[in-house]
Amino acid sequence: MIEIKEITAEETYPLRHKVMYPNHPFEYIKLPKDQEGTHFAVVKKAKNVTVVSLFFENDSAQFRKLATLESEQGQGHASKLLDFIITYAKKNNAKKLWCNARANKTSYYKKFGLEVSRPKIG
């Protein structure tokens, strides 16, 4: 059985490092505003298997560093966590939820109603 729980920024670091940036120094995975964020994990058998960080600014919320252990990928953990943070953001009056997604992941995020946007230049 899995559960979703709020965790500290520091509790996201080992998974962020292992999944996203294993070839970088550990300090590389830390975000400048980590202490201002709200952080969540999918927990399975007392182990964090998916993590994400959520940052609010005015009426927008940005999620960052969504990561799932390789051995747990494809089991729906990230999808459950995304559904959870979408609801959480709405309950906390966010009018917009966004992320900086890799181009090859945009179709995944579209399944949740998120849209691709491009910054306006000029």
Side-chain angles (χ1 to χ4, degrees):
M1 185 167 126
I2 67 162
E3 68 172 318
I4 295 173
K5 71 176 191 173
E6 189 171 334
I7 60 173
T8 66
E10 291 76 16
E11 290 173 295
T12 69
Y13 296 163
L15 191 52
R16 276 187 197 174
H17 187 253
K18 183 175 186 170
V19 173
M20 302 180 90
Y21 306 104
N23 297 321
H24 287 81
F26 191 79
E27 293 297 314
Y28 183 82
I29 54 87
K30 296 179 181 179
L31 297 170
K33 294 187 176 185
D34 264 337
Q35 298 310 315
E36 297 171 24
T38 306
H39 312 275
F40 298 99
V42 172
V43 182
K44 180 179 176 183
K45 297 181 182 176
K47 181 178 182 180
N48 293 343
V49 296
T50 303
V51 297
V52 70
S53 298
L54 187 63
F55 301 88
F56 286 90
E57 186 172 323
N58 301 319
D59 64 352
S60 292
Q62 178 188 20
F63 65 93
R64 300 186 68 185
K65 307 297 183 193
L66 176 63
T68 300
L69 282 175
E70 189 173 340
S71 62
E72 295 291 330
Q73 291 177 8
Q75 297 185 38
H77 302 318
S79 295
K80 286 182 177 105
L81 192 50
L82 274 175
D83 282 335
F84 179 87
I85 64 167
I86 289 168
T87 300
Y88 184 90
K90 286 179 185 176
K91 285 181 181 176
N92 285 275
N93 303 312
K95 305 278 185 262
K96 176 180 176 182
L97 178 66
W98 66 284
C99 71
N100 288 320
R102 294 180 178 134
N104 66 341
K105 297 294 183 184
T106 56
S107 61
Y108 174 76
Y109 292 115
K110 285 181 179 180
K111 295 177 193 176
F112 296 89
L114 299 175
E115 302 171 359
V116 175
S117 64
R118 307 254 187 269
K120 294 178 184 176
I121 301 175

